Amino acid sequence: MQSSDWEVLQRARDWLDQGYGAHLFTVIQTWGSAPRLPGAILVVREDGHLVGSVSGGCIEDDLADKARHQQLPARPAIMEYGVNQAEAQRFGIPCGGQLKIFAEPLTQTAQLAPMLESLSQRRLLKRSVHLHSGEVRHQYVLPEGQPYLESDWFHSYFGPQWRLLIIGANQLGSVLAAMAQALDFHVMICDPREEMRAEWHVEGADWLPGMPDDVVLEMAPDPHTAIVAVTHDPKLDDMALLEALKSDAFYIGALGSVKNQEKRKQRLRSFDLTEQEVNRLHGPVGLRISSRTPAEIAVSILAELIQERAQLQQTGLVSRVHRLAMA
């Protein structure tokens, strides 16, 4: 499964190859209860066809109408919506929310190539566009944060899709894998038990053969990776956690009660993990919502992942090594 950004940009490239013109829209900043975060993208074709999203729908409709009537800017520009209560209600932005959007004409596929390449290679690309000249600069960078305006330049980022590695192909693992894909996670599953592999039927999730610790090492978790152990078997879960807690994964969680988590942390301390690394473990995994069934537990886990991911998107991703260096 590709990221939603990749699918939007790939579709835009197809349109440009077919001879259509289009515009790329990126959310710069939001206030109030705007529905999309900075960095969300939308591409609108010259005849009003669109892919992606920058709001709940009404702004997309307005941009599509402007495209059909050739009213979109001919060079990079900033567009604002919801600047007053009447406009907020017209465009379906609740509670007086506001959006500032960067609009950029697309005329050739070369404009999209660096972004698609960065997504495919799991490298973070900083894309800078000059408002007046339309000049574009690209630079691979360490995680920095949200899109922003700097004088006459607009800076945005394109990079790795969020990944979720699930240790355990049980019922909870199956439900979690299915739900996570709808949240734009590339889902991978690891379980060395042959009987579990034989009964795995979730489409779209990549099966990674091997022992959990080897799989974690081979995939080289980065700050866009989450790892959740749900086998409830310490022999399997702890193997994955020993390597995961030393990685750059932004989230590491394990199923189990408070009492079992304390026992697990004591076991982990007996290996070569620091106290700081052990304390990175989210356990019991998920938000406390009184969940009981596999589906409810999956919701609680994904709710915590969404929360952690949103915080990182708001403040900027910082790798574990970089963070420790600044401590």
Side-chain angles (χ1 to χ4, degrees), residues 2-3 6 10 113-123 159-161:
Q2 296 286 355
S3 71
W6 192 94
Q10 179 64 48
M115 293 178 280
L116 287 166
E117 183 179 3
S118 71
L119 291 166
S120 298
Q121 296 182 356
R122 295 192 61 78
R123 299 176 67 188
Q161 181 181 11

Side-chain angles (χ1 to χ4, degrees), residues 3 21 63 72-73 119 137 147 219 229 237-238 249 257 276 280 296 313 318:
S3 71
L63 293 171
L72 291 175
L119 291 166
R137 298 175 182 174
M219 71 177 294
D237 287 348
D238 288 5
S257 66
Q276 186 177 12
R280 295 183 64 210
E296 291 173 346
Q313 289 171 321
V318 180

Side-chain angles (χ1 to χ4, degrees), residues 46 63 73 75 103 109 118 124 174 185 200 244 256 259 273 281-282:
E46 61 187 15
L63 293 171
R75 66 181 187 183
T109 56
S118 71
L124 186 64
S174 298
F185 281 97
W200 180 260
K259 182 177 180 180
L273 295 179
L281 179 64
H282 290 258

Side-chain angles (χ1 to χ4, degrees), residues 256-265 284:
S257 66
V258 173
K259 182 177 180 180
N260 285 337
Q261 294 296 341
E262 286 303 318
K263 292 180 179 179
R264 171 178 280 118
K265 288 185 176 181

Side-chain angles (χ1 to χ4, degrees), residues 8-9 11 22 40 112 125 134 209 231 244 254 279 291:
V8 170
L9 297 172
R11 188 64 176 141
L112 304 176
L125 179 75
T231 71
N279 288 335
S291 53

Side-chain angles (χ1 to χ4, degrees), residues 227-244:
I227 300 172
V228 177
V230 299
T231 71
H232 230 312
D233 182 344
K235 295 189 299 294
L236 298 178
D237 287 348
D238 288 5
M239 291 175 64
L241 295 174
L242 281 170
E243 300 301 335

